[in-house]
Amino acid sequence: MSGGPLYGANVFANGIRQHYLRYGGKGPVVVLIPGITSPAITWGFVAERLAERYDVYVLDVRGRGLSSTGPDLDYGLDAMAADVVAFASVLKLDAPALLGHSMGARIAIRAAVAAPEAFSRLALIDPPVSGPGRRAYPSKLPWYVDSIRLALNGIDAEGMKAFCPTWTDEQLKLRAEWLHTCYEPAIVTAFEDFHKDDIFADLPKLKQPTMLMVAGRGGVIEAVDENEARSLYPALEITRVPNAGHMIPWDDFDGFFIALGDFLSR
């Protein structure tokens, strides 16, 4: 990463402390919601590029990073979506776009359904489409839990390479530094919700222009899922990054931005 955020800050919204990093400061507002074990700082390299055109707020989802955590919180999808709605409201963000990756994309969908006037558009980056009676999410829970437990005791970039072998040294160092902030029960709940909460049911309720970005090598979204999603929301715009796995910008940074295009400000 060549630069950094303008600042990091905390806001009390939906009854919890929500920590965020702000990049850019000019242009249309974008709220970036990371995935299941990605604190905000790990998306800095993407936010920096977005900040060339947008005013970007990257969230620490509850139970991750510097946001509220602990055994007394609800880590379900509805609670995380309510956080995003409250975040935008408390900061008086004027109909920002939501860009969510993986779990963050599911949060974006649920938030947009809950508050359709609050958000202008959605960029959904390879969201899990598993659910009751559906194909299982391809990643397995121990992959997350084992790495978090190692991080709690201290792990370096070399140790993290066993879990993320294709990442750069800088990306591995960031994950090794921050993964311990991912609260295991929050991760377990979110992972289980991938299989309990069917996000397809939300798609017909969307009102905003919406993009679905598919990782060509991710194994998360298949052609049958694309067809079903479009049947439920015919205006859905689908783009693909053929040579990327689920962590699209980690695998193909330029391909991610080519696929995103000008959607966020169109």
Side-chain angles (χ1 to χ4, degrees), residues 19-262:
H19 176 260
Y20 64 95
L21 300 173
R22 189 179 183 187
Y23 293 77
K26 297 179 180 180
V29 178
V30 176
V31 176
L32 195 162
I33 313 168
I36 188 169
T37 55
S38 295
I41 189 65
T42 63
W43 274 81
F45 72 113
V46 176
E48 286 177 10
R49 172 71 72 86
L50 288 171
E52 295 172 4
R53 299 178 61 182
Y54 306 106
D55 186 6
V56 185
Y57 294 76
V58 190
L59 302 185
D60 271 333
V61 178
R62 61 169 61 200
R64 299 149 180 90
L66 301 180
S67 289
S68 290
T69 191
D72 297 328
L73 293 185
D74 178 356
Y75 295 105
L77 181 58
D78 288 339
M80 295 187 292
D83 287 345
V84 175
V85 174
F87 177 84
S89 176
V90 170
L91 288 183
K92 295 181 170 55
L93 304 181
D94 184 16
L98 296 181
L99 187 157
H101 172 250
S102 191
M103 179 194 75
R106 289 167 61 92
I107 295 171
I109 294 170
R110 188 61 55 85
V113 168
E117 303 303 320
F119 307 107
S120 59
R121 55 188 52 236
L122 310 179
L124 310 175
I125 314 303
D126 217 43
V129 293
S130 44
R134 296 183 178 276
R135 185 180 70 255
Y137 184 59
S139 294
K140 305 303 180 185
L141 185 58
W143 186 88
Y144 302 102
V145 172
D146 292 350
S147 59
I148 290 169
R149 291 178 180 176
L150 288 171
L152 284 169
N153 291 322
I155 189 173
D156 60 12
E158 188 63 29
M160 194 58 69
K161 191 179 292 185
F163 297 91
C164 309
T166 64
W167 290 21
T168 67
D169 189 58
E170 184 173 18
Q171 291 163 353
L172 290 167
K173 286 178 178 176
L174 265 182
R175 188 163 178 82
E177 180 184 0
W178 283 91
L179 186 60
H180 75 92
T181 69
C182 295
Y183 182 54
E184 184 178 323
I187 307 313
V188 172
T189 296
F191 185 87
E192 291 176 345
D193 273 1
F194 289 171
H195 302 89
K196 293 178 180 178
D197 198 327
D198 190 349
I199 205 67
F200 278 98
D202 288 29
L203 296 183
K205 304 172 188 175
L206 290 175
K207 307 296 183 184
Q208 304 86 350
T210 301
M211 165 190 283
L212 175 66
M213 187 185 297
V214 178
R217 295 190 289 105
V220 175
I221 300 174
E222 298 183 355
V224 63
D225 307 312
E226 295 180 32
N227 292 337
E228 182 178 1
R230 184 168 273 149
S231 73
L232 294 169
Y233 190 58
L236 184 67
E237 179 178 334
I238 300 178
T239 62
R240 296 176 185 80
V241 186
N243 296 317
H246 180 58
M247 303 297 287
I248 295 177
W250 279 256
D251 290 341
D252 188 350
F253 184 73
D254 291 332
F256 171 80
F257 282 98
I258 290 170
L260 186 63
D262 65 351

